[in-house]
Amino acid sequence: MTDRERLERAREAATGAYAPYSAFAVGALVVGGSGREYLGTNVENAAFPASICAEANAISTAVAAGERRIEAVYVVCLRRRRCMPCGNCRQIMREFGVDRVVVEGPDGPETIPFAELLPRSFGPEDLSDP
Ligand code: THU
């Protein structure tokens, strides 16, 4: 599947978002280490901090299916073109070794290496003694 097609699937997923408070629908498609793809949308909550982002939901679904590494994350927002993942989602991506994030740029899919999104980050290996 091409980057464009994956972004299109993420866009379709965004139409299922539960975002009554922000009206900001987000869809994500993640590619697991196995090559299988998983979708997620944001799911908000009347207690706002309990809301869950699209990327976090897609990654949770992938992990529940047995994935332990995530290759790529595709993100689409219905209200604007380029939709960058929030800081919390970047940290969740870090746990599973995400290689790249793909968003919709003005001229089509825009690929961002993960290291640019969360440089000098904290990850699983940092819990062990040096
Ligand atoms: N949101 C996501 O789903 N992913 C992000 O990376 C940024 C923000 C959601 C959370 C909330 O439901 C809405 O977008 C507005 O912040």
Side-chain angles (χ1 to χ4, degrees):
M1 195 176 276
T2 65
D3 281 351
R4 267 178 212 280
E5 287 168 334
R6 284 174 170 161
L7 284 172
E8 202 41 52
R9 285 196 73 204
R11 174 171 295 281
E12 282 163 23
T15 64
Y18 177 72
Y21 307 108
S22 71
F24 193 84
V26 186
L29 178 150
V30 306
V31 183
S34 70
R36 289 177 60 197
E37 299 173 353
Y38 306 86
L39 298 170
T41 64
N42 51 331
V43 177
E44 297 184 346
N45 194 285
F48 296 168
S51 300
I52 310 172
C53 287
E55 301 92 315
N57 272 327
I59 290 172
S60 295
T61 300
V63 172
E67 304 286 353
R68 290 296 179 266
R69 208 178 62 74
I70 303 291
E71 186 66 28
V73 180
Y74 294 73
V75 195
V76 169
C77 306
L78 297 187
R79 284 233 313 252
R80 53 168 294 147
R81 186 181 284 140
R82 190 185 279 107
C83 189
M84 298 301 287
C86 77
N88 191 53
C89 286
R90 294 176 196 202
Q91 185 63 36
I92 293 169
M93 292 177 198
R94 171 67 171 84
E95 184 74 17
F96 300 104
V98 168
D99 172 69
R100 62 192 181 281
V101 170
V102 183
V103 297
E104 289 183 312
D107 306 314
E110 205 171 276
T111 299
I112 307 161
F114 184 75
E116 276 180 29
L117 293 175
L118 202 64
R120 304 185 69 171
S121 60
F122 184 87
E125 64 280 6
D126 294 304
L127 287 175
S128 351
D129 288 334

